[in-house]
Amino acid sequence: MTAAPDMKVRIGIGAGPSRHDPAAATLELVDGCEARGIDSVWFPDRMAAPAVEPVVAMGWAAGRTTSLKVGSGVIVLPGRNPAVVAAQLASLAALAPKRILPVFGLRPATAGERTAYPVPGPRALVFEEALTVVRRLLTEESVTFHGEFFTLDEATVEPRPARPLDLWLGGLVPAALDRVGRLGDGWLASFVTPAEAGAARAKIAAAAAETGREVEEDHYGTNLLVLPPGTSEQDADRARASSVVRRPELDPHDLVADGWDDARARVGRFVDEGITKFVVRPAVAPASWPGFLDEFAEHLVPLETQGIVG
């Protein structure tokens, strides 16, 4: 299947579970992606899991590489100071132009992490106001903002990016999709089927049109979990059970690709629905990142060529 000419298929790697120290695994992952010419690497915001903090990881990875794009998937914005977030992103963008890919979300992945992100009001309202603050600080010379939750007087962030950063959002419920259309520059989904992603894409585009905005045609993406070949049945069952916790109404086999051939086929089905950006994550800790990346480069990276899938 071929994507539209103006829709470039890009496939990156998401940091996932590790069999050893997460710092050592991050080093192995980042160096491996850069050496293989992989498009991008993405770091989750998981305070309660053994993972490197995403903004720290993005800065470290950007400084260690010259071509690799670095993204977050997703940063929990409510509970963070949006002015500090804007300053962090501006500095990253100045040091690694065109390589910083921030994605923001409403709440942590697990209920146990939510107390670590206290918010001064209803989470959705705080999120939207915080996102407005981040965007204005990244694009305006001086910002005065008196909102319900945040107050700024002639605030500045330097150096501001020469090219505005695209701020992508996650989420699947109707309110989240409406928010992407009103306030976001792109959408990165998790735990969705191709049909659901296509329907969500249409809802986001409609919400954007209602407010006189437009989300670019190739700014729709999804995470994709893959079981590496050789995964034991016990580990595969555990991975599927973990994924379906987020979407108990779905068959767990709908959420996890069983090997690279299945992953390739799923990418094609997502592209058919207008989804062209992918963050591939191992559903179980790979035996080694180099082996996983070699297989990824062999089976999925060729799908990026000229936006051709199939």
Side-chain angles (χ1 to χ4, degrees), residues 125-145:
L125 297 180
V126 172
F127 182 36
E128 295 197 7
E129 192 168 296
L131 186 66
T132 299
V133 169
V134 170
R135 187 181 296 282
R136 289 191 59 185
L137 284 169
L138 288 173
T139 56
E140 299 178 21
E141 183 175 347
S142 176
V143 175
T144 295
F145 179 89

Side-chain angles (χ1 to χ4, degrees), residues 176-204:
L177 300 178
D178 176 75
R179 184 180 302 116
V180 178
R182 291 186 292 108
L183 300 173
D185 299 309
W187 178 59
L188 184 66
S190 299
F191 303 101
V192 296
T193 67
E196 288 176 325
R201 186 187 191 283
K203 291 178 181 177
I204 291 168

Side-chain angles (χ1 to χ4, degrees), residues 211-281:
T211 56
R213 301 182 72 245
E214 181 180 8
V215 176
E216 292 186 30
E217 288 291 302
D218 64 351
H219 278 41
Y220 296 89
T222 187
N223 286 270
L224 179 61
L225 289 170
V226 178
L227 289 169
T231 301
S232 70
E233 196 57 40
Q234 182 180 23
D235 284 345
D237 288 343
R238 188 178 299 115
R240 294 188 187 102
S242 177
S243 68
V244 84
V245 167
R246 297 280 296 275
R247 299 295 308 280
E249 72 277 17
L250 295 181
D251 183 327
H253 290 84
D254 291 338
L255 298 175
V256 182
D258 188 4
W260 296 110
D261 287 344
D262 188 15
R264 184 183 180 97
R266 290 178 191 234
V267 169
R269 291 197 291 273
F270 275 110
V271 171
D272 285 343
E273 297 288 351
I275 307 302
T276 60
K277 300 297 184 283
F278 299 89
V279 178
V280 173
R281 300 181 184 276

Side-chain angles (χ1 to χ4, degrees), residues 21-230:
D21 174 68
T26 301
L27 174 65
E28 195 174 56
L29 171 61
V30 169
D31 284 357
C33 287
E34 176 82 350
R36 291 164 179 79
I38 291 171
D39 177 73
S40 55
V41 65
W42 302 73
F43 300 100
D45 190 1
R46 294 299 313 278
M47 185 172 291
V52 179
E53 197 278 334
V55 177
V56 171
M58 290 169 70
W60 180 84
R64 190 175 179 84
T65 59
T66 59
S67 60
L68 184 69
K69 295 194 284 287
V70 294
S72 65
V74 297
I75 293 174
V76 179
L77 187 55
R80 281 183 164 91
N81 183 325
V84 173
V85 171
Q88 291 171 323
L89 292 177
S91 295
L92 286 172
L95 294 169
K98 300 181 181 180
R99 294 201 288 137
I100 304 303
L101 309 172
V103 184
F104 295 109
L106 183 66
R107 66 182 73 253
T110 62
E113 294 175 311
R114 289 172 193 166
T115 55
Y117 299 89
V119 296
R123 186 172 289 272
L125 297 180
V126 172
F127 182 36
E128 295 197 7
E129 192 168 296
L131 186 66
T132 299
V133 169
V134 170
R135 187 181 296 282
R136 289 191 59 185
L137 284 169
L138 288 173
T139 56
E140 299 178 21
E141 183 175 347
S142 176
V143 175
T144 295
F145 179 89
H146 293 176
E148 186 176 354
F149 310 109
F150 303 104
T151 298
L152 300 174
D153 289 302
E154 300 181 1
T156 61
V157 164
E158 292 288 351
R160 289 193 316 281
R163 175 178 178 270
L165 283 176
D166 288 331
L167 307 181
W168 287 42
L169 308 181
L172 183 60
V173 300
L177 300 178
D178 176 75
R179 184 180 302 116
V180 178
R182 291 186 292 108
L183 300 173
D185 299 309
W187 178 59
L188 184 66
S190 299
F191 303 101
V192 296
T193 67
E196 288 176 325
R201 186 187 191 283
K203 291 178 181 177
I204 291 168
E210 287 178 3
T211 56
R213 301 182 72 245
E214 181 180 8
V215 176
E216 292 186 30
E217 288 291 302
D218 64 351
H219 278 41
Y220 296 89
T222 187
N223 286 270
L224 179 61
L225 289 170
V226 178
L227 289 169

